[in-house]
Amino acid sequence: MRKILLTLLALLALPAFAYGKLRVVSTLPDFAWLAEQVGGDFVQVKSLARGSQDPHFVDPKPSYLVDLHRADILLLDGMQLEVGWLPPLLQQCGNGRIQPSAPGYVDLSQFIKPIEVPVGGVDRSMGDMHPMGNPHYHLDPYNMALIAEGIGGAFGKLDATHAAQYAANAEKTAEAMRALGAEVTAMLAPLKGEPVVTYHSTLDYFFLRFGFDIVGYIEPKAGIKPSPSSLMELEQRMKEKKAKLIISEAYQDLKTARRVADDTGAKLAVIPSYTGGAKGAETYPDLIRYIARSILEASSG
Ligand SMILES: [Zn+2]
């Protein structure tokens, strides 16, 4: 396998900007979408993970190495979201431009304010999936506004000729993201303060932004499978808090989510949590509207 990959990479050894475009690789499709808005015609963008995948667990494909080998810039979520699959790919891709100390390595978490950062270090017994805080910040459109501006700056540094266009596109995109935030705030206003449960804490930035009350998770801790006793505790808490809404990412164990919904009389909404994760969620704004609509429908049904 390794030999084949090395041969592939040798064949693909191309100089930077071979096509006159900045080659952007993003770990997640949401940031790829954002990079396209900011980069316009001056960039060629590719996402490694698909929107239907759990980004904590992505099976690396040989094509990822090819993409990384060619990239001028790598956009990643950071906060150890990709720790299970990205580091070995980076080591093997033979591209110094996107290594952690290089200007082409852009950890997007630097542009946002993280939530759920463990206080006083990480206790391994708490699970170690979010040791630096919650990495699922992409579901808050206001975070995406900040990230658009960050991406504009990063593109401008690497491709100074088009820096002014990147900055202008970034500002326009940031504005669109804030408008999307305002639109969804209005959409979800009737549910302000609504108690909700999710499978994993993927939606926490979304819930905090739009005023929901997070009562609990089907997983007892990030990355830990539920047990009969943890589910009993959750169901008890849901009854106390009168939680009638469970929202689960489509790639989770929906059988368990359905059982909790049945036990508690709650409605279950199954949602795509990344751009492209479902039909009708092909762009980031469509994804956010899709999630908002699904929650509204579940709450009224
Ligand atoms: Zn997570």
Side-chain angles (χ1 to χ4, degrees), residues 59-288:
D59 274 334
K61 291 192 271 185
S63 65
Y64 290 2
L65 275 182
V66 176
D67 294 333
L68 289 168
H69 181 72
R70 287 174 157 179
D72 298 307
I73 184 162
L74 169 67
L75 305 175
L76 67 151
D77 186 282
M79 299 179 76
Q80 299 205 12
L81 178 73
E82 302 99 337
V83 75
W85 55 279
L86 186 63
L89 290 172
L90 267 182
Q91 275 160 24
Q92 289 169 44
C93 75
N95 180 357
R97 296 190 297 276
I98 55 163
Q99 296 303 318
S101 53
Y105 179 96
V106 183
D107 179 338
L108 299 173
S109 68
Q110 68 185 291
F111 303 118
I112 59 103
K113 192 169 174 287
I115 60 170
E116 298 160 16
V117 179
V119 182
V122 185
D123 174 355
R124 302 288 286 192
S125 70
M126 289 167 60
D128 55 5
M129 240 186 183
H130 296 164
M132 301 175 74
N134 188 319
H136 306 293
Y137 52 79
H138 71 290
L139 288 182
D140 179 350
Y142 293 92
N143 279 346
M144 290 293 262
L146 299 171
I147 296 163
E149 286 161 358
I151 290 177
F155 284 1
K157 259 186 224 155
L158 284 171
D159 177 16
T161 322
H162 301 115
Q165 282 103 322
Y166 292 137
N169 290 349
E171 201 29 64
K172 217 174 102 194
T173 309
E175 223 164 85
M177 292 296 96
R178 290 189 289 264
L180 176 66
E183 177 192 328
V184 175
T185 302
M187 254 177 106
L188 294 176
L191 293 178
K192 208 167 167 59
E194 181 79 16
V196 283
V197 165
T198 49
Y199 203 104
H200 180 77
S201 52
T202 312
L203 283 124
D204 284 16
Y205 288 89
F206 181 98
F207 287 146
L208 288 177
R209 170 62 68 191
F210 299 115
F212 289 82
D213 177 18
I214 306 163
V215 166
Y217 310 94
I218 303 224
E219 288 180 337
K221 272 154 194 163
I224 308 286
K225 274 198 180 354
S227 66
S229 68
S230 78
L231 289 174
M232 244 166 67
E233 267 174 52
L234 174 68
E235 291 182 3
Q236 189 54 41
R237 206 169 334 131
M238 285 177 70
K239 279 172 195 156
E240 279 162 21
K241 296 267 194 173
K242 299 189 170 49
K244 292 287 168 215
L245 266 180
I246 301 174
I247 293 114
S248 177
E249 308 87 337
Y251 48 72
Q252 303 288 11
D253 169 14
L254 297 179
K255 226 174 102 190
T256 303
R258 271 195 199 104
R259 204 173 65 227
V260 176
D262 287 347
D263 287 354
T264 56
K267 293 274 185 226
L268 171 66
V270 178
I271 52 127
S273 37
Y274 291 86
T275 297
K279 210 163 174 260
E282 285 84 3
T283 67
Y284 177 79
D286 284 347
L287 168 77
I288 295 296

